[in-house]
């Protein structure tokens, strides 16, 4: 049986680039064990195979080269336990992060699908449960710059890994008194939905449970008035009364499309039936 192997043979047998083997050689991590006395060629031996596989495994676990070198040179059952227990905890933490990020991405998928599957001209009524939000009041003249700064402030306080524009619904509130007077852009609040979120925020606000008139709008935020006019008209026609500020929730926005005319937004107004 063949006992010694060139760097090219080792690379092929262990599915590892020759450049990586040369780097390990330079750093003293894994070096050819024998030298041919006649040719001075250096060779790896068959008894080194298992160590190379161990090194590959440690690197696959994302253990640093310095730690790998330390382990190779001074390995004992005690150092093995210490290294593997430490790395296990790091991997479990990474697993938790991946699970969290996956759930956030799934939520974004659901938000986008919700927006794409709607009728953008109809009004419907539904009972919506209480919703936890991270809320801050804003000035009525909510410019794009102020919106971005306020959203960044909200998100910073939440201490979350995924940006809010990816992981959660972002919304604003619009004064119902102003809407009824024909002013459809009197914003008074900005919020991030806190449903199913892992965050350090302690003091939630809530959008109260209730019956809501709802509609979807496809187009720029500059056309907000079209959706709100449609809502108010239907509320009055259907014998309801608006009892709270309007809620504007972005479903398909700048985070997934550049063309503002393709934005999809949901509008909700809390209502109650007028008793005659």
């Amino acid at each position: 049986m063949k006992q010694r192997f060139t760097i090219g043979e080792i690379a092929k047998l262990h599915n590892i680039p020759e450049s990586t083997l040369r780097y390990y050689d330079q750093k003293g991590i894994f070096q050819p064990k024998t030298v041919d006395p006649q040719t001075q060629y250096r060779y790896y031996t068959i008894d080194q195979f298992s160590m190379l596989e161990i090194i590959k495994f440690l690197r696959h676990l994302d253990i640093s080269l310095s730690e790998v070198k330390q382990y190779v040179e001074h390995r004992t059952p005690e150092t093995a336990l210490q290294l593997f227990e430490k790395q296990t905890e790091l991997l479990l933490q990474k697993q938790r992060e991946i699970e969290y990020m996956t759930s956030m991405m799934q939520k974004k998928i659901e938000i986008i699908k919700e927006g794409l599957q709607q009728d953008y001209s109809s009004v419907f009524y539904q009972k919506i449960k209480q919703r936890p939000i991270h809320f801050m009041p804003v000035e009525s003249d909510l410019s794009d710059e102020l919106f971005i700064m306020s959203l960044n402030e909200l998100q910073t306080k939440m201490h979350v890994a995924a940006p809010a524009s990816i992981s959660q619904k972002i919304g604003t509130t619009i004064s119902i008194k102003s809407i009824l007077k024909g002013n459809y852009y009197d914003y008074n609040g900005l919020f991030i939905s806190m449903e199913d979120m892992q965050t350090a925020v302690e003091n939630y606000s809530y959008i109260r449970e209730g019956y809501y008139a709802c509609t979807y709008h496809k187009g720029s935020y500059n056309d907000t008035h079209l959706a709100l006019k449609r809502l108010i008209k239907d509320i009055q026609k259907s014998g309801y009364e608006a009892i709270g500020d309007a809620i504007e929730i972005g479903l398909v926005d700048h985070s997934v499309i550049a063309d503002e005319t393709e934005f999809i937004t949901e509008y909700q107004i809390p209502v109650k039936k007028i008793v005659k």
Side-chain angles (χ1 to χ4, degrees):
M1 179 181 292
K2 188 172 182 177
Q3 294 295 318
R4 61 183 194 175
F5 302 84
T6 65
I7 188 172
E9 290 171 329
I10 284 287
K12 187 175 181 179
L13 284 169
H14 293 270
N15 193 28
I16 184 171
E18 289 187 31
S19 58
T20 300
L21 288 171
R22 290 193 179 93
Y23 186 74
Y24 289 171
D25 183 8
Q26 293 171 5
K27 296 297 181 180
I29 297 171
F30 185 73
Q31 299 176 314
K33 191 173 183 179
T34 65
V35 178
D36 188 301
Q38 295 181 344
T39 64
Q40 298 302 305
Y41 288 165
R42 303 162 73 222
Y43 292 93
Y44 297 93
T45 59
I46 197 168
D47 61 322
Q48 290 183 280
F49 283 19
S50 60
M51 181 52 64
L52 181 55
E53 289 301 315
I54 290 171
I55 292 171
K56 286 176 59 182
F57 175 69
L58 296 179
R59 291 296 292 146
H60 187 68
L61 294 178
D62 205 27
I63 295 175
S64 68
L65 283 174
S66 61
E67 288 180 294
V68 171
K69 188 174 189 294
Q70 181 74 12
Y71 177 77
V72 169
E73 293 176 347
H74 305 287
R75 61 189 182 279
T76 65
E78 290 74 24
T79 58
L81 277 174
Q82 184 180 19
L83 179 63
F84 294 150
E85 287 174 350
K86 171 188 173 183
Q87 203 62 24
T88 296
E89 181 53 41
L90 291 174
L91 288 173
L92 288 172
Q93 176 62 32
K94 185 175 290 187
Q95 181 182 8
R96 290 189 288 268
E97 292 173 359
I98 290 172
E99 289 173 351
Y100 170 68
M101 296 301 289
T102 300
S103 69
M104 292 299 98
M105 291 302 296
Q106 185 59 45
K107 194 166 188 66
K108 185 63 173 180
I109 290 169
E110 292 170 0
I111 292 171
I112 295 172
K113 285 183 176 180
E114 178 186 348
L116 295 176
Q117 294 169 356
Q118 301 306 322
D119 174 357
Y120 308 121
S121 60
S122 66
V123 173
F124 60 97
Y125 297 81
Q126 64 176 342
K127 185 175 182 180
I128 303 177
K129 67 180 182 179
Q130 177 175 269
R131 291 164 282 177
I133 58 172
H134 188 27
F135 177 87
M136 71 180 298
V138 295
E139 299 295 330
S140 59
D141 183 17
L142 186 61
S143 65
D144 290 344
E145 292 77 15
L146 180 58
F147 176 87
I148 293 170
M149 291 297 295
S150 300
L151 179 60
N152 183 69
E153 181 180 343
L154 269 181
Q155 184 170 276
T156 299
K157 292 178 179 179
M158 291 167 63
H159 305 289
V160 293
S165 59
I166 292 296
S167 60
Q168 289 293 315
K169 289 182 176 179
I170 298 172
T172 55
T173 54
I174 309 171
S175 168
I176 190 62
K177 292 181 179 179
S178 296
I179 291 172
L180 293 174
K181 293 177 182 178
N183 179 2
Y184 300 96
Y185 299 92
D186 187 9
Y187 293 95
N188 55 22
L190 170 67
F191 67 86
I192 299 173
S193 171
M194 303 296 293
E195 294 179 286
D196 305 319
M197 276 199 96
Q198 299 174 6
T199 171
V201 174
E202 296 179 355
N203 299 318
Y204 295 158
S205 298
Y206 291 91
I207 300 175
R208 66 185 179 185
E209 179 178 327
Y211 206 56
Y212 288 80
C214 308
T215 192
Y216 292 89
H217 174 71
K218 188 173 186 178
S220 167
Y221 291 129
N222 293 328
D223 295 332
T224 290
H225 62 284
L226 299 176
L228 292 174
K229 281 182 177 180
R230 182 165 65 247
L231 271 181
I232 294 299
K233 181 179 179 180
D234 199 277
I235 288 170
Q236 294 171 344
K237 181 183 71 173
S238 302
Y240 288 95
E241 176 187 2
I243 58 172
D245 291 342
I247 299 168
E248 177 185 76
I249 301 173
L251 301 178
V252 174
D253 56 18
H254 69 279
S255 67
V256 295
I257 191 167
D259 184 357
E260 291 187 3
T261 64
E262 295 295 316
F263 285 2
I264 300 172
T265 311
E266 181 180 8
Y267 292 89
Q268 305 170 351
I269 296 178
V271 295
K272 70 175 181 180
K273 196 74 173 178
I274 297 175
V275 180
K276 297 182 180 179

